Amino acid sequence: MWRFLPGVTNPNAHKADATAKRKYQQDYDKSKRARRFNPEWGKGRPWLLDSEAHGMTCTYCIDDDVSGSQFVTGCISYKLDSVIKHETSRSHERATLIAKAKNTNATTALLFKFVQLRYRILIICLHYLQRLPTEQNPRLEIGESAQWWKF
């Protein structure tokens, strides 16, 4: 009926063209386009790793044992959209929070050990200084002066 009306086209013809174009792009992506990891995707994403054997993986999700994510087993869909989709997923956001908390706790523990070590060194130095002979404190004999450092 549309062909009998002058200047009017079939509205379903546009949908058929869009479907054919989408199918052509999908076929092109599968057969001719060689997708690979772009190192620019890793900037600002320390969790994103790429290996030829597995594809793109997420270290945070692997450490958190997230199930059902392509980035745990290895994602071979080398598209920035795949990375962004994973990055905004709930499971990845949860794994990121856990990884940051672990990192913060590790940093705090290292800082505490450092302060503790400095405190021990200070105590040892004070102990040595206390045992040194002075004019006011001539505790050590001349023969013992070589062994002033022993407790």
Side-chain angles (χ1 to χ4, degrees), residues 48-111:
L48 184 62
L49 295 178
D50 178 51
S51 69
E52 291 184 19
H54 302 291
M56 296 184 291
T57 55
C58 174
T59 56
Y60 293 170
C61 291
I62 290 171
D63 291 343
D64 192 36
D65 231 4
V66 174
S67 60
S69 175
Q70 284 184 331
F71 280 78
V72 172
T73 57
C75 179
I76 56 172
S77 174
Y78 289 108
K79 296 179 183 179
L80 182 58
D81 291 340
S82 299
V83 175
I84 292 171
K85 184 178 177 183
H86 174 73
E87 189 174 27
T88 57
S89 69
R90 280 187 175 178
S91 58
H92 176 76
E93 288 176 352
R94 180 177 170 272
T96 302
L97 288 175
I98 291 171
K100 286 183 179 179
K102 285 180 183 176
N103 190 21
T104 302
N105 290 342
T107 304
T108 305
L110 283 173
L111 184 61

Side-chain angles (χ1 to χ4, degrees), residues 6-55:
V8 178
T9 59
N10 185 353
N12 294 330
H14 177 68
K15 289 181 182 177
D17 289 343
T19 304
K21 184 177 181 181
R22 188 170 39 249
K23 181 167 177 17
Y24 172 78
Q25 287 174 343
Q26 288 173 347
D27 291 341
Y28 176 78
D29 280 345
K30 288 180 182 176
S31 62
K32 296 187 180 178
R33 176 177 275 183
R35 292 191 177 268
R36 61 186 182 281
F37 182 76
N38 185 350
E40 292 289 320
W41 299 343
K43 291 184 179 175
R45 296 181 179 104
W47 50 267
L48 184 62
L49 295 178
D50 178 51
S51 69
E52 291 184 19
H54 302 291

Side-chain angles (χ1 to χ4, degrees), residues 108-118:
T108 305
L110 283 173
L111 184 61
F112 179 74
K113 285 184 179 184
F114 177 72
V115 169
Q116 196 176 28
L117 180 64
R118 287 187 65 186

